[in-house]
Amino acid sequence: MRPGVITRLTGPYLALQECSMKAIRMRFSCVLTLLLVLAVNEQSYAADPGPRPASRQDKTLSAANVSKLPVAVSTTGYRSASAESGAHARAVSVNGRWAVVGDRALNTAWLYDLKEEDSSAQPLRLSGHSSSVYFGHSVFTNGHYLAVGDPYWSARGIVRLFALDAEKPDHGPDHYTDLTTSDSTAGNMFGYDLSMSGDMVVVGSPDTNHPGKVYFYRIHQQALHLTGSSEGSLTASDGEPGNMYGTASAYGDVLLVGAMSQGRSGAAYLYQLNAGNAGDIQQSEIKILPPAASGGDQFGADVAVGEHYMLIGQPFHDADPAHEAIGSAWLYRIHPDQPQASVSDYLQLMPADGFAGMHFGMTVDIMDHYAIVGTYCEDDGVGAYLFDLTADDINASQVKLSIASDYGDEGKPLGVSVSGNGEISAVRARFNGRFYLFKHHL
């Protein structure tokens, strides 16, 4: 291992060395190399690109039309002894009028109403089970319901599902139910990741001792407490013990699951959801391997699905041979009628100012016409990158959402969680604990 670089592991946890990332800043010669890599990877898309979002005429994403909103809410961040295990947590989610921020160090989650003039004035505090350990590790909202995960509860994991009342947002969720698995064992990590599609809740359970699973629940709108009775589950056909299969994202009838410790460099799995019972998943598994890998890359550390695209993070990828673990994110175009064709129709996303140990791709999200990719590093480069999916050159459209200069009293952030709703991108700093909103003026 080189001094100053995060150790690459194939297990779920990261070992961090005390160091200064500034000692391995990118040299000017490496910038030229990076630009050449971008140019080559632009050719990865198939000649016939298929469907894509409609272009916005005369409107191009740039730093000039992305502004940071006056919201910099300080939560406690991840400052526990086992904080590094939260590196992949989906700790922020934005949808419609709501933003929810996980705060597992306080065993809570915060709900913000984005329609309020001052969104940060009076957030609602959500609490978990009385014996929760890391409630707020993961969060997800579809605008009508809100799920908060604690993968360490009772050494197995639990998810609390809340119903949101759009008519009385100031009252907070009045109804909730707790979801646990029917086959739980120690180390399940149920609630490690969360997603929703329609009235289906998707819960990642990567497990540290066995092949991971993803669980499904159909939300019972009339009697929320009956939601747990609709449980279904899925696992990789070639799953290995400790493969960390469990980062999950669903959109429409598409489900994407990441397994960052599967095999040598990680993998992702593509499925079709059934509109009927939550337990009925069409068994049409398509395995996606990293287009480029060198071992321990953690391909599938985070995944996201949108209407036209899916996005897979690979934060330990040596995208630039001169610098370790810059990281990559792979954008795949979805072919609804020929899902297998999606695997070969991809584009590599990379930061224009990348440097060693940036871990670009640790967190990802897709919303409307945009993709957002987060980093994981203790350096002035910490932040996220926003990409315009309607641009002719998607890599060239990137705008950096920087939070590095705003440390506050909490100290430096260490990577970010990311989310968005098409109009707003949310960036939640790790360890530092701050929460930022960026508006897209397009």
Side-chain angles (χ1 to χ4, degrees):
M1 180 184 68
R2 272 195 260 167
V5 179
I6 297 179
T7 305
R8 292 194 288 184
L9 300 177
T10 55
Y13 298 13
L14 305 176
L16 301 179
Q17 267 196 315
E18 293 294 331
C19 62
S20 171
M21 289 294 185
K22 294 181 180 178
I24 49 175
R25 284 286 196 181
M26 182 173 291
R27 300 187 301 270
F28 284 106
S29 60
C30 295
V31 175
L32 295 177
T33 302
L34 186 56
L35 292 175
L36 288 174
V37 172
L38 289 176
V40 170
N41 281 287
E42 281 290 348
Q43 300 175 10
S44 298
Y45 268 124
D48 179 10
R52 63 182 299 178
S55 297
R56 295 180 295 274
Q57 294 183 354
D58 302 324
K59 293 185 178 180
T60 304
L61 183 65
S62 68
N65 49 42
V66 176
S67 61
K68 185 187 292 186
L69 297 180
V71 178
V73 182
S74 179
T75 62
T76 58
Y78 293 157
R79 297 199 214 105
S80 61
S82 61
E84 51 276 355
S85 67
H88 306 274
R90 192 182 303 279
V92 64
S93 180
V94 180
N95 199 310
R97 72 182 295 167
W98 305 109
V100 58
V101 183
D103 191 359
R104 75 177 201 176
L106 278 184
N107 208 22
T108 194
W110 302 95
L111 182 64
Y112 299 89
D113 186 351
L114 300 181
K115 289 192 175 182
E116 291 292 329
E117 187 173 338
D118 181 0
S119 300
S120 64
Q122 291 183 322
L124 295 169
R125 183 171 184 169
L126 306 176
S127 299
H129 192 278
S130 59
S131 59
S132 287
V133 180
Y134 279 143
F135 181 80
H137 175 95
S138 57
V139 297
F140 195 91
T141 180
N142 64 359
H144 303 287
Y145 294 90
L146 162 64
V148 183
D150 177 359
Y152 301 99
W153 174 81
S154 192
R156 291 166 169 79
I158 192 171
V159 171
R160 178 157 287 189
L161 179 66
F162 298 88
L164 297 174
D165 189 344
E167 300 300 321
K168 299 178 180 179
D170 56 324
H171 290 179
D174 294 326
H175 306 288
Y176 66 84
T177 189
D178 289 330
L179 303 176
T180 57
T181 66
S182 59
D183 58 352
S184 64
T185 59
N188 274 174
M189 297 178 71
F190 176 82
Y192 178 85
D193 200 9
L194 298 164
S195 187
M196 295 184 189
S197 178
D199 61 353
M200 184 180 290
V201 181
V202 181
V203 182
S205 180
D207 207 312
T208 55
N209 303 312
H210 307 93
K213 286 186 177 182
V214 168
Y215 292 84
F216 308 88
Y217 301 89
R218 184 73 64 186
I219 297 174
H220 199 298
Q221 299 180 16
Q222 305 304 318
L224 197 62
H225 67 280
L226 296 178
T227 298
S229 63
S230 63
E231 179 184 294
S233 65
L234 190 66
T235 190
S237 59
D238 61 348
E240 303 168 346
N243 62 352
M244 292 301 289
Y245 174 99
T247 53
S249 180
Y251 184 94
D253 62 353
V254 177
L255 170 67
L256 183 64
V257 182
M260 64 181 177
S261 297
Q262 175 74 24
R264 186 164 175 261
S265 297
Y269 298 83
L270 182 63
Y271 304 91
Q272 295 291 117
L273 294 173
N274 191 306
N277 183 19
D280 296 334
I281 305 299
Q282 195 171 334
Q283 297 299 313
S284 56
E285 177 184 282
I286 297 175
K287 185 176 182 179
I288 305 174
L289 295 174
S294 55
D297 298 80
Q298 296 194 358
F299 179 81
D302 200 12
V303 298
V305 176
E307 183 177 1
H308 300 285
Y309 295 98
M310 53 187 178
L311 188 59
I312 303 175
Q314 189 180 3
F316 282 84
H317 180 218
D318 297 339
D320 176 2
H323 296 281
E324 290 186 349
I326 287 178
S328 296
W330 300 90
L331 182 70
Y332 293 82
R333 196 186 312 280
I334 296 174
H335 294 254
D337 298 329
Q338 296 179 306
Q340 187 65 48
S342 305
V343 177
S344 58
D345 193 1
Y346 60 82
L347 173 70
Q348 183 182 17
L349 302 183
M350 291 179 61
D353 59 348
F355 54 86
M358 182 181 234
H359 301 105
F360 175 86
M362 185 64 79
T363 52
V364 299
D365 198 15
I366 288 181
M367 60 289 190
D368 196 15
H369 301 298
Y370 303 98
I372 184 170
V373 182
T375 61
Y376 186 82
C377 57
E378 189 174 8
D379 195 274
D380 289 341
V382 68
Y385 292 78
L386 187 65
F387 296 84
D388 185 348
L389 300 182
T390 69
D392 292 331
D393 186 340
I394 295 176
N395 263 305
S397 75
Q398 65 182 265
V399 171
K400 185 174 182 178
L401 309 179
S402 179
I403 63 171
S405 62
D406 188 5
Y407 299 141
D409 297 332
E410 298 83 8
K412 282 190 175 184
L414 181 58
V416 297
S417 293
V418 296
S419 182
N421 65 1
E423 297 179 357
I424 291 175
S425 292
V427 177
R428 198 278 200 205
R430 306 279 176 73
F431 288 91
N432 168 291
R434 292 197 166 199
F435 164 52
Y436 304 86
L437 297 175
F438 295 83
K439 186 170 179 60
H440 319 150
H441 301 279
L442 290 178

